[in-house]
Amino acid sequence: MAKSPETEHPVKVFGWGSRDPSGVFHPIKFSRRTTGEHDVRFKVLYCGVCHTDLHMAKNDWGFTQYPLIPGHEIVGEVTEIGSKVEKVKVGDKVGVGCLVGSCRQCDQCTSDLENYCPKVIWTYGSVYTDGTLAHGGYSNLMVVDEHFIVLWPKNFPLDIGSPLLCAGITTYSPLRYFGLDKPGMNIGVVGLGGLGHVAVKFAKAFGTKVTVISTSINKKKEAIEKLGADSFLVSRDPEEMKVAGGTLDGIIDTVSATHPLLALISLLKPHGKMVLVGAPAQPLELPVFPLISGKKIIAGSGVGGMKETQEMIDFAAKHNILPDVEIIPIDYINTAMDRLAKSDVKYRFVIDIAKSLKAE
């Protein structure tokens, strides 16, 4: 007979999670493994709320296993280390992003791309090698192999910075990989939400000229005056889009809802690249002719490997790149999810785990 999440491991843990596709969050008791020789145990201080958490809680993608304790933008303080751990010491501030395991042997892993390993273990919702479910940072503590720990830069805010462990690497990685990080390039960012506003900040830090593309004119002032974008396009305005045709070297598309691609592709110069980082639940329609006629590329990108994630957080600290966040207590999470579904947040919720998560 299978053990319950509360008894399958020796270390007692508490958090908040969802038990069914209603997506409603409740306090949940569960357990984690003891600290192995290569493991780092840390007290969770803050955890960002990602749109993926909402999709997974509601089983929008069809593969959620319950109970689900989300959270993959996790920062905290090390409380215990295994006998062979060399990377951190007790008292260090650390982070954990979207993954906590991989095979460490395949071509992807040996190329520092653990996130593309066929056996990747995501921070929550994946199955560990021992057959138990991985649970995320909406909880009081984590136990993670040191390889998947991110060292937190000194004097870099833990609370405001935590969303970089997903939103940051999700946008930093494609800008770097696809060569959209060269000063003077014209880069478009589609959508000004949790991912989009961070994409603008990284693209500006690389020295590019940034155009925000949104369905709503209401975001123009925010995009230009607060986030530093150079220009703004309303994607529903055919005249505006026509005038801007063929002006962008690359586009980072952060939208996680179904949306048309043709008008966006038309913004690219010949040989331009559009990278999708949002994950709509329904397939998008792909117009092929404009790709062929302009030798344009549509690609996808998902988070990043551990080496690049550390590089990203160090770059963010050096250039003072921080998301715009709203700090919330854990018992606000159901309201936060309702607001997130309506895009009613600027631009990322962060849960103050240390102050608000209490054992029931």
Side-chain angles (χ1 to χ4, degrees), residues 165 200 208 222 229 236 272 348:
L165 292 164
V200 171
T208 71
E222 179 95 4
R236 288 176 175 157
R348 207 72 160 182

Side-chain angles (χ1 to χ4, degrees), residues 136-153:
Y138 294 14
S139 59
N140 65 314
L141 66 88
M142 296 287 296
V143 180
V144 179
D145 185 291
E146 70 169 327
H147 182 77
F148 299 93
I149 291 285
V150 176
L151 302 174
W152 203 256

Side-chain angles (χ1 to χ4, degrees), residues 278-333:
Q282 300 301 318
L284 302 180
E285 185 176 319
L286 180 63
V288 174
F289 189 76
L291 299 180
I292 295 171
S293 60
K295 205 166 191 177
K296 300 173 183 179
I297 292 172
I298 288 189
S301 181
V303 296
M306 296 315 302
K307 181 179 179 182
E308 189 174 44
T309 302
Q310 187 68 59
E311 175 189 296
M312 176 277 303
I313 208 78
D314 292 340
F315 181 90
K318 181 179 179 181
H319 295 272
N320 198 33
I321 297 170
L322 286 163
D324 295 357
V325 307
E326 180 178 332
I327 309 291
I328 62 169
I330 188 72
D331 59 10
Y332 187 78
I333 190 62

Side-chain angles (χ1 to χ4, degrees), residues 108-153:
Q108 301 307 312
C109 287
T110 55
S111 301
D112 298 313
L113 295 168
E114 301 92 337
N115 51 312
Y116 298 119
C117 172
K119 297 181 180 178
V120 64
I121 300 172
W122 301 113
T123 302
Y124 68 85
S126 278
V127 177
Y128 273 118
T129 51
D130 64 4
T132 62
L133 269 178
H135 296 306
Y138 294 14
S139 59
N140 65 314
L141 66 88
M142 296 287 296
V143 180
V144 179
D145 185 291
E146 70 169 327
H147 182 77
F148 299 93
I149 291 285
V150 176
L151 302 174
W152 203 256

Side-chain angles (χ1 to χ4, degrees), residues 149-318:
I149 291 285
V150 176
L151 302 174
W152 203 256
K154 282 184 170 57
N155 303 317
F156 196 53
L158 289 160
D159 49 359
I160 307 173
S162 61
L164 292 172
L165 292 164
C166 174
I169 188 61
T170 296
T171 53
Y172 177 93
S173 182
L175 287 167
R176 297 279 284 177
Y177 180 85
F178 291 100
L180 305 178
D181 57 348
K182 307 297 185 291
M185 276 188 157
N186 292 302
I187 304 299
V189 174
V190 186
L192 198 62
L195 292 175
H197 88 288
V198 176
V200 171
K201 293 186 180 195
F202 275 118
K204 287 298 294 180
F206 288 135
T208 71
K209 295 176 182 176
V210 178
T211 299
V212 169
I213 304 147
S214 175
T215 56
S216 172
I217 188 68
N218 296 336
K219 294 188 176 181
K220 181 174 182 178
K221 184 177 180 181
E222 179 95 4
I224 292 175
E225 294 183 11
K226 186 171 183 187
L227 298 176
D230 298 280
S231 55
F232 188 92
L233 289 173
V234 178
S235 57
R236 288 176 175 157
D237 185 327
E239 257 332 288
E240 263 193 39
M241 296 292 280
K242 185 177 179 181
V243 170
T247 61
L248 300 180
D249 297 289
I251 294 173
I252 303 296
D253 184 346
T254 71
V255 176
S256 60
T258 303
H259 59 290
L261 299 179
L262 180 59
L264 300 174
I265 294 170
S266 72
L267 297 173
L268 291 171
K269 297 176 182 178
H271 317 287
K273 302 165 187 173
M274 182 160 79
V275 189
L276 309 179
V277 298
Q282 300 301 318
L284 302 180
E285 185 176 319
L286 180 63
V288 174
F289 189 76
L291 299 180
I292 295 171
S293 60
K295 205 166 191 177
K296 300 173 183 179
I297 292 172
I298 288 189
S301 181
V303 296
M306 296 315 302
K307 181 179 179 182
E308 189 174 44
T309 302
Q310 187 68 59
E311 175 189 296
M312 176 277 303
I313 208 78
D314 292 340
F315 181 90
K318 181 179 179 181

